[in-house]
Amino acid sequence: MNTESDGVNPRSRTWRRGFMPVAGNIAEVRHGARIVLAGWAVPDDTCETVVLIVSELATNAVRHARVPGRTFDVALTYDDGGKAVEIEVSDGSPRHPVVRPFDPDATSGRGLLLVEALSDVWEVRDREFGKTVWVRVLG
């Protein structure tokens, strides 16, 4: 029997999917996340925040962390009791992302600034092969 005392939250739902690290899959990540979050009845404003964060992290995985023969993986977990969505985007690169200072003339480089501003907490976790960027959004 799964109970919270066993370390498993019965009100928690998870969606996981792997993607090839190509630009066309970023739209697929957004679309899949939006459908799953709507199915879980996540409030619209939280849903849009999560979709934006997932899109930024997926873009980083494709642009900066592509490893030949490896997918990047996306996981969303919703705890409707605590009203939190956790986001994980994992890739095969061991290089940690770096938050760049804001440059109003730059055409890119604001993704992690958005993640930092829109999330309640985020961090990078090392894995055996690569890393995971983990984010929590309270809604």
Side-chain angles (χ1 to χ4, degrees):
M1 181 170 142
N2 290 335
T3 65
E4 287 188 55
S5 63
D6 296 331
V8 177
N9 183 344
R11 296 181 295 197
S12 178
R13 302 176 190 127
T14 300
W15 174 75
R16 294 182 191 285
R17 186 152 173 221
F19 298 88
M20 293 306 297
V22 296
N25 280 339
I26 296 167
E28 184 68 24
V29 170
R30 281 193 302 266
H31 180 71
R34 190 169 272 118
I35 288 171
V36 167
L37 294 167
W40 292 342
V42 173
D44 290 343
D45 57 337
T46 303
C47 178
E48 291 307 313
T49 298
V50 169
V51 169
L52 177 57
I53 291 171
V54 167
S55 181
E56 293 297 334
L57 296 177
T59 298
N60 283 353
V62 169
R63 286 188 181 165
H64 306 294
R66 188 183 321 207
V67 174
R70 293 206 181 268
T71 61
F72 72 94
D73 303 310
V74 176
L76 300 176
T77 301
Y78 181 53
D79 174 5
D80 62 356
K83 303 296 183 198
V85 179
E86 292 185 358
I87 304 158
E88 295 181 17
V89 177
S90 303
D91 60 59
S93 173
R95 292 184 347 186
H96 283 215
V98 176
V99 179
R100 297 185 200 167
F102 178 74
D103 179 353
D105 297 324
T107 59
S108 66
R110 295 183 184 93
L112 289 178
L113 288 172
L114 285 170
V115 170
E116 199 166 73
L118 296 172
S119 67
D120 291 281
V121 63
W122 74 282
E123 65 185 26
V124 180
R125 299 174 176 173
D126 291 318
R127 301 183 320 155
E128 184 176 357
F129 297 104
K131 66 180 169 305
T132 298
V133 180
W134 173 86
V135 180
R136 178 180 292 136
V137 176
L138 298 176

